[in-house]
Amino acid sequence: MNITFKMDEPVGSSLLDHTRQNVISRPIDRIEGPLKVAGRARYSAEFKFPGMVHGVLVGSTIPAGTITGINETRARALPGVLAVVTDYETFLRNPGQGLETEAPAQGVREIAYFGQPVALVVAETFEAARNAAGALDIAYAPAEARLDFRALQSEARPKESSQKSQGDLDRAMMDAAASIDAVWTTPSQNSAAMEPHASTALWEGDTLIVYGAYQMLSSDRQQLADALGLAPDKVRIIAHYVGGGFGAKLGISQESVAAALAARALNRPVQVVMTRQQVFEATVRRSETIQRVRLAAGADGRLTGIGHETITANLPDEDFSEPASASTQFLYGGEARRFGNSIVTLNQVLSASMRAPGEAVGMLALEGAMDELAEALDIDPVELRKRNLPPRHPMDDLPFSSRSLAECLDHGASAFGWADRNPRPANRREGEWWIGQGMAAAARSNMLITSSARVTLGTDSRALIETDMTDIGTGTYTILAQIAAEMLGLPVEAIDVHLGDTAFPAAAGSGGSFGAASAGTSVYLACKRLRETLAERIGATPEELVLSEGMARRGNAAKPFSELVTEPLVATATVEPGKTEENFVQAAFGAHFAEVGVHVHTGEIRVRRMHGTFAAGRILNEKTARSQCIGGMVFGIGTALTEELVHDTRLGTIVNHDLAEYHLPVHADVPRIDVVFLEERDHAANPLLAKGIGELGISGAGAAIANAVYNACGMRVRDFPLTLDKLIAHLPDPDAVQP
Amino acid sequence: MRAFDYQRPESAEAATRAQSGAEARFIAGGTNLLDLMKLEIETPRTLIDISRLPLDGIAPTEAGGFSIGALVTNAALAADPSVRRLYPVLSRALLAGASGQLRNKATTGGNLLQRTRCYYFYNPATPCNKREPGSGCSAIGGHTRIHAILGTSPHCIATHPSDMAVAMMALEAEVEILGPDGQTRTIPLADLYRLPGDTPHIETSLAPGDLITAVILPPPPPGRQLYRKVRDRASYAFALVSVAAIIAMENGRISAARLAFGGLAPMPWRDREVEALLIGEAPSPALFAAAADRLLATARTEDGNAFKSPLARRTLASVLATACAGNS
């Protein structure tokens, strides 16, 4: 039984609102949790095979130039070394972007950035391979490198597809009762997933099997096959568990191709695990941005114009550009509008999708500007936002599929106690701390990506879900089991979920906040098909059918599955995006509130509490969804206050290429965080009526913190992260300000 | 990591004899050394494991202080009831450092001898005079957020990253050293460290075979003890500026003052002229400013660490105000 469903029309209702099993949405624990805490969930670098050997990548020590020769003598002489694998043409120069189906940039004789992997040293042990990697002598002809983003910003080339304009923004700015025209800058960042990039490769005949730490297996398989000149069905990628990705594992990275080549050359399984430094130097980063935001408003606070223009950086021949204005384009109204990106070519590691590409840094600028506008007009920041919610998309004239933003703003303000905030900055002091409060809206586009799943209802009243969807720590195993349990009237414990293997039907993968809704819909559709079969078997219409406790019922008649299912029932379903994505603006929304302390002497900033109210359609599991939002808000702390990937503009090196010096928030930086979900259904999104939530928590969170910093100490810093050195020169005299 | 030989001598004396040969390193907690070996910044031919030697006791001294065995872990030292009661500056400094896991492994002796966290020292692809004498300093002119502004040289601007050592400097701790000749000597902690000058690769006055066996704390000095660490996040970050302060007041005036600073210099930094300037004076913002002027008189900054001057100034003012308030 194969069915395909295309999302061309809004769905009237979802079975999930009628099955009444009280399983969907319940905040149950992750079903794979016990495996993880017991160390029995195996990650890509934890697979061991007979004869397996270890490879360590060797990175370039110049940022631009050409390899003139590799001398293997010293490396090969070391104990345990088996091979130095080089393949100038086939090795990946760059990692892949998400959803691409062709190989990423290949060819490593030319050096495009410091740390670019150019060879693989293989040895009996990881330690021997690492030792020998350091002894590989590589000669280079260096070329002039482009390393200084800010110095080169005037050379940025426009990205044509991103340029959008409506009306006359310059005129609107001139005629405005109040306007903001300022530049925000955000630094280079790294996803910093806990699990490093890793691949374990082995060949079975002419088929390559890679245990790889990847987020989107079906497209990753195509990338890997293309890179190696194989047919996609000769490549199998397995990733049962992924230790975080945050965008850095959307496409394949260099270790997979190197491991595959080495495994073929040596005819042994080869495991390649990137070092932490290599993860920083050679995988994926978020570009630094320079964002100019313009707001023009009347005295009533209604926007008459809005502009959001962004300069980003990327490697030569790469055109991904951080879409900082993504949500700006539909979040607020204003007739005159201008958006666009331009790209500076840099010899720095690939810029690609990382943690809410666009909103994570774009909302810092937009929502900072809105805070400044609110102050200029003496309008409450919550009220200013509510006054500017457009009835339809301001440029495309499309309706919103669902948008509970005003409700989120009101609920969040009330729950946080926003009414008690003193709008005058540097006016509340507790001991040596100025206290401030800030808020920001949250918005993140919703997407549906083609996704398939197979559901088998066994003769033992258990169901099996199979799809190559991944669980990157988000709760996919759990929500898919909940959807099937709810649909089939089985306990969650009776659902087996097998993920992360391209031998299963191809799924959307984890990325862009679309994983749960896309993969979840395929499971829903397959279960719906199974319900139809069960209905036929007890002579009921699908509408009459009630499934619960392993029984199929029609009115007072009931039969156990064990009588109805004598052979396993299999349904495979595919969901595809359709016209609803063209006919509606789809996004999840929310409101962030934050309270911070700024130390009056040192300028240290500590977040004291955060609140987020979100609406994202149906919430599939209130616990995993809440955890996702909390995680996003924690990354919001990092985005606002601590994270900065530092590139040495002389040497091309990444200065802070480890987790000691690349500062993510630690436990002590994270205060109490409250998360509330408002009830919502989105009928244009998918048959689950759910919207993506993975990136909603970070969108706007950092802006709420930055706005709170201003409220605390009166310092408006537009250069992120807000480290104390940017405050200290301008802090008011602590002895002059009395509480 | 290069291959190495491993030895586990039965006594401290045997350990010192073993280490006096070339290219051998003692290893105890290994929290810094192993990282450096993985990056091949340290490439010892021999590791001499001292972790099981009986140097893990904390004992009162006849002088009224305490002797802390070199192998006492940072966690144990921070939690010791006598240390918490009599030397709170030390306990607080320890707890401000590293993470719980690291403090459980890191030892007193090893903490004193940890290497700088200079980013460029840790990247073998870049020149570093400390790593390869004469190759140049990549930090100067580079990213210097965590670098020193006092006691530097044109050859090196790295900081010593310890918190513990800053508190011990304020406590006027001494270091007990067993030499390969079997003789034990005791030197002030301040004399353990050397400023970089034109030999930044030589960081201490220890000779080959010298083994730190204990840190001797004198009797606790009078006054209120504070440790204040300013850093880029609330935990697990090295100090941008830290201050260990021991301040006694009499009749509204500062009667005794000891100040040591972290994050500013290649060694835990103490400036007795700053202390002398405070003693006998009534606390005031002007006095604290004068103390900061004195402290920073010789500061030499780069673009990236120039903020440390105002930060040190303001942190010192905050610490002194707190130490003097409610302290009579």
Side-chain angles (χ1 to χ4, degrees):
Chain A
M1 294 188 284
N2 291 309
I3 52 163
T4 297
F5 175 84
K6 203 164 179 206
M7 194 64 200
D8 280 328
E9 296 286 336
V11 294
S13 71
S14 173
L15 272 173
L16 296 176
D17 285 313
H18 304 287
T19 42
R20 301 189 185 288
Q21 297 301 300
N22 192 27
V23 174
I24 198 68
S25 303
R26 261 183 46 216
I28 64 170
D29 292 341
R30 296 174 193 216
I31 59 177
E32 84 287 13
L35 288 178
K36 286 182 173 170
V37 295
R40 288 189 286 129
R42 281 205 290 173
Y43 292 79
S44 297
E46 296 180 314
F47 286 86
K48 303 282 176 265
F49 297 96
M52 189 182 85
V53 292
H54 299 264
V56 168
L57 290 164
V58 182
S60 73
T61 54
I62 61 166
T66 308
I67 297 176
T68 55
I70 296 180
N71 186 336
E72 306 176 3
T73 312
R74 279 202 307 136
R76 294 203 67 121
L78 289 166
V81 174
L82 298 168
V84 175
V85 179
T86 53
D87 183 333
Y88 286 138
E89 278 68 45
T90 312
F91 264 52
L92 297 187
R93 183 164 67 231
N94 302 340
Q97 305 272 4
L99 289 173
E100 286 288 334
T101 54
E102 293 179 0
Q106 290 174 280
V108 297
R109 189 190 297 273
E110 302 297 321
I111 304 300
Y113 57 95
F114 187 101
Q116 174 187 311
V118 296
L120 184 78
V121 177
V122 184
E124 295 286 353
T125 66
F126 170 77
E127 289 75 13
R130 183 174 56 187
N131 181 206
L136 195 63
D137 294 309
I138 304 174
Y140 301 96
E144 192 173 339
R146 297 168 59 86
L147 299 172
D148 191 336
F149 175 67
R150 291 202 187 186
L152 293 168
Q153 62 175 287
S154 62
E155 297 180 23
R157 63 182 195 284
K159 178 169 171 147
E160 293 307 331
S161 62
S162 70
Q163 309 300 322
K164 295 179 185 172
S165 182
Q166 171 178 295
D168 187 342
L169 181 58
D170 296 328
R171 181 85 240 166
M173 292 293 286
M174 274 190 292
D175 294 344
S179 64
I180 304 293
D181 182 356
V183 172
W184 281 259
T185 56
T186 65
S188 185
Q189 298 173 340
N190 185 278
S191 295
M194 188 86 84
E195 179 198 27
H197 294 60
S199 284
T200 304
L202 55 148
W203 291 82
E204 285 184 358
D206 61 353
T207 298
L208 171 67
I209 300 173
V210 170
Y211 292 79
Y214 294 127
Q215 295 177 230
M216 307 179 78
L217 301 194
S218 55
S219 52
D220 292 334
R221 164 157 86 163
Q222 291 173 287
Q223 292 183 14
L224 185 54
D226 190 34
L228 294 166
L230 299 169
D233 64 0
K234 295 296 183 189
V235 174
R236 180 178 172 195
I237 301 182
I238 297 169
H240 296 149
Y241 302 98
V242 180
F246 312 112
K249 297 167 182 167
L250 291 173
I252 61 170
S253 41
Q254 299 90 335
E255 89 294 337
S256 59
V257 168
L261 292 173
R264 187 157 61 188
L266 291 164
N267 199 26
R268 295 172 74 169
V270 175
Q271 184 164 84
V272 181
V273 182
M274 286 202 191
T275 65
R276 182 64 65 188
Q277 289 81 3
Q278 288 172 336
V279 170
F280 278 95
E281 288 175 348
T283 63
V284 168
R285 70 186 181 104
R286 188 202 305 279
S287 172
E288 53 280 83
T289 71
I290 297 172
Q291 302 176 50
R292 180 187 185 194
V293 172
R294 281 178 284 178
L295 299 177
D300 60 356
R302 289 198 163 66
L303 289 170
T304 53
I306 186 165
H308 194 162
E309 291 155 292
T310 308
I311 305 173
T312 68
N314 215 335
L315 285 162
D317 306 322
E318 293 281 352
D319 74 344
F320 177 87
S321 181
E322 184 77 21
S325 68
S327 285
T328 311
Q329 300 187 24
F330 61 79
L331 188 53
Y332 301 125
E335 176 59 26
R337 309 179 79 79
R338 190 179 303 167
F339 308 104
N341 277 41
S342 53
I343 306 174
V344 177
T345 299
L346 275 194
N347 292 109
Q348 301 285 14
V349 64
L350 183 74
S351 301
S353 297
M354 168 185 150
R355 299 187 218 144
E359 288 86 350
V361 293
M363 298 287 276
L364 294 175
L366 173 67
E367 290 297 278
M370 286 294 280
D371 202 61
E372 295 189 33
L373 182 65
E375 184 180 46
L377 288 164
D378 195 21
I379 297 175
D380 181 83
V382 173
E383 174 61 24
L384 179 70
R385 286 163 175 83
K386 286 169 64 181
R387 278 185 204 174
N388 282 293
L389 303 185
R392 295 165 72 86
H393 190 289
M395 292 179 86
D396 303 341
D397 194 32
L398 296 173
F400 288 89
S401 59
S402 60
R403 183 187 59 187
S404 305
L405 178 51
E407 294 81 355
C408 288
L409 289 162
D410 285 339
H411 181 277
S414 168
F416 181 79
W418 181 253
D420 299 332
R421 167 181 179 263
N422 184 339
R424 246 181 62 208
N427 211 42
R428 180 176 160 201
R429 186 166 158 181
E430 293 179 12
E432 290 197 314
W433 296 87
W434 279 305
I435 311 301
Q437 297 176 333
M439 60 78 54
R444 172 71 191 172
S445 286
N446 182 67
M447 283 181 275
L448 183 65
I449 300 291
T450 300
S451 201
S452 302
R454 180 167 59 228
V455 180
T456 303
L457 184 55
T459 55
D460 53 357
S461 297
R462 296 185 65 82
L464 169 65
I465 299 170
E466 294 166 301
T467 165
D468 80 2
M469 182 63 191
T470 49
D471 186 327
I472 59 172
T474 46
T476 312
Y477 279 101
T478 311
I479 56 123
L480 295 185
Q482 281 177 279
I483 290 168
E486 178 74 38
M487 291 288 287
L488 297 174
L490 290 170
V492 169
E493 298 73 30
I495 313 294
D496 296 307
V497 186
H498 291 179
L499 303 181
D501 187 336
T502 55
F504 300 143
S510 298
S513 298
F514 51 65
S518 303
T521 296
S522 65
V523 170
Y524 170 93
L525 294 169
C527 291
K528 191 176 168 202
R529 184 69 191 81
L530 293 173
R531 288 176 62 95
E532 288 162 9
T533 301
L534 293 171
E536 282 169 26
R537 291 187 180 179
I538 64 163
T541 64
E543 293 73 28
E544 291 168 334
L545 181 74
V546 174
L547 300 181
S548 67
E549 297 165 332
M551 307 278 284
R553 301 169 202 274
R554 174 187 174 237
N556 290 330
K559 272 194 180 174
F561 287 5
S562 54
E563 284 183 34
L564 294 172
V565 183
T566 52
E567 294 285 320
L569 279 178
V570 185
T572 301
T574 301
V575 62
E576 294 174 359
K579 292 202 180 74
T580 63
E581 87 176 8
E582 296 152 29
N583 296 338
F584 293 89
V585 190
Q586 295 185 32
F589 293 92
H592 289 284
F593 295 83
E595 179 175 298
V596 306
V598 178
H599 196 275
V600 298
H601 290 282
T602 64
E604 291 159 287
I605 300 168
R606 298 290 181 256
V607 184
R608 290 158 55 106
R609 62 189 177 104
M610 296 176 81
H611 174 94
T613 298
F614 303 104
R618 184 194 311 279
I619 300 302
L620 301 173
N621 176 319
E622 287 166 5
K623 184 171 189 175
T624 56
R626 180 172 175 276
S627 295
Q628 285 228 280
C629 287
I630 289 174
M633 292 164 80
V634 170
F635 276 141
I637 298 174
T639 308
L641 302 182
T642 61
E643 286 183 67
E644 177 173 15
L645 193 63
V646 179
H647 302 270
D648 188 298
T649 55
R650 308 160 305 165
L651 307 168
T653 56
I654 289 177
V655 172
N656 52 348
H657 56 191
D658 58 47
L659 293 175
E661 295 298 343
Y662 182 80
H663 286 162
L664 293 160
V666 295
H667 282 303
D669 293 303
V670 179
R672 194 186 86 201
I673 297 179
D674 295 324
V675 170
V676 173
F677 296 110
L678 300 186
E679 194 72 16
E680 190 186 65
R681 298 284 185 268
D682 192 316
H683 294 264
N686 51 64
L688 308 178
L689 317 184
K691 291 185 286 192
I693 205 161
E695 294 155 307
L696 185 59
I698 192 174
S699 300
I705 292 168
N707 294 340
V709 169
Y710 173 74
N711 181 243
C713 70
M715 284 279 305
R716 197 67 92 167
V717 179
R718 303 191 189 98
D719 179 25
F720 288 89
L722 308 187
T723 47
L724 57 85
D725 51 301
K726 294 169 188 169
L727 294 174
I728 197 161
H730 311 285
L731 282 176
D733 179 357
D735 298 312
V737 180
Q738 293 304 323
Chain B
M1 185 182 283
R2 306 262 176 92
F4 56 86
D5 293 327
Y6 173 84
Q7 297 179 15
R8 202 166 72 219
E10 296 299 318
S11 68
E13 289 74 14
T16 61
R17 286 194 297 275
Q19 205 262 343
S20 57
E23 298 182 67
R25 289 280 186 277
F26 295 125
I27 184 165
T31 56
N32 189 202
L33 180 60
L34 290 176
D35 282 350
L36 292 166
M37 288 172 65
K38 289 174 189 171
L39 296 168
E40 300 193 3
I41 293 163
E42 291 273 10
T43 52
R45 286 181 185 277
T46 305
L47 281 188
I48 300 160
D49 183 352
I50 58 168
S51 64
R52 298 181 207 193
L53 297 179
L55 299 172
D56 57 351
I58 301 174
T61 63
E62 287 180 15
F66 283 84
S67 171
I68 301 159
L71 294 175
V72 173
T73 66
N74 289 177
L77 184 57
D80 182 81
S82 298
V83 171
R84 292 180 58 181
R85 184 165 51 86
L86 300 170
Y87 306 98
V89 65
L90 177 57
S91 187
R92 286 176 188 277
L94 283 159
L95 294 175
S99 66
Q101 296 96 319
L102 289 167
R103 292 194 296 269
N104 284 338
K105 287 299 289 179
T107 63
T108 302
N111 187 313
L112 292 177
L113 297 181
Q114 65 182 297
R115 308 293 302 275
T116 183
R117 292 287 163 170
C118 172
Y119 320 108
Y120 299 95
F121 174 70
Y122 275 79
N123 190 338
T126 62
C128 170
N129 286 324
K130 197 182 269 298
R131 192 163 19 79
E132 286 176 65
S135 62
C137 174
S138 298
I140 294 172
H143 186 66
T144 55
R145 181 170 187 78
I146 60 172
H147 288 79
I149 62 172
L150 296 171
T152 59
S153 79
H155 304 283
C156 184
I157 58 171
T159 52
H160 191 271
S162 173
D163 291 294
M164 182 194 81
V166 175
M168 286 180 170
M169 191 71 97
L171 290 166
E172 297 187 348
E174 295 181 316
V175 181
E176 183 185 276
I177 298 161
L178 176 67
D181 57 0
Q183 300 297 308
T184 294
R185 66 186 195 276
T186 301
I187 62 170
L189 177 60
D191 293 347
L192 177 68
Y193 296 110
R194 290 176 46 147
L195 291 175
D198 55 8
T199 55
H201 59 293
I202 303 173
E203 296 172 352
T204 71
S205 57
L206 296 177
D210 279 351
L211 174 67
I212 295 175
T213 50
V215 171
I216 313 295
L217 297 179
R224 186 165 179 189
Q225 301 182 16
L226 292 179
Y227 189 75
R228 175 75 162 97
K229 180 177 181 179
V230 181
R231 47 184 154 177
D232 275 330
R233 58 183 172 188
S235 181
Y236 197 53
F238 294 95
L240 296 170
V241 171
S242 71
V243 183
I246 306 172
I247 304 289
M249 301 280 291
E250 275 178 32
N251 303 322
R253 290 180 181 273
I254 297 169
S255 58
R258 295 208 209 149
L259 294 166
F261 299 86
L264 294 180
M267 60 181 281
W269 193 255
R270 188 172 174 202
D271 185 335
R272 286 173 195 259
E273 288 185 38
V274 176
E275 298 170 6
L277 186 149
L278 294 169
I279 293 169
E281 301 293 330
S284 71
L287 178 69
F288 301 159
D293 287 342
R294 173 54 247 174
L295 172 72
L296 298 166
T298 60
R300 192 160 46 196
T301 61
E302 296 271 319
D303 287 348
N305 65 5
F307 74 94
K308 285 190 173 183
S309 283
L311 181 62
R313 174 179 298 278
R314 298 177 71 109
T315 306
L316 179 61
S318 167
V319 167
L320 288 173
T322 306
C324 293
N327 174 1
S328 53

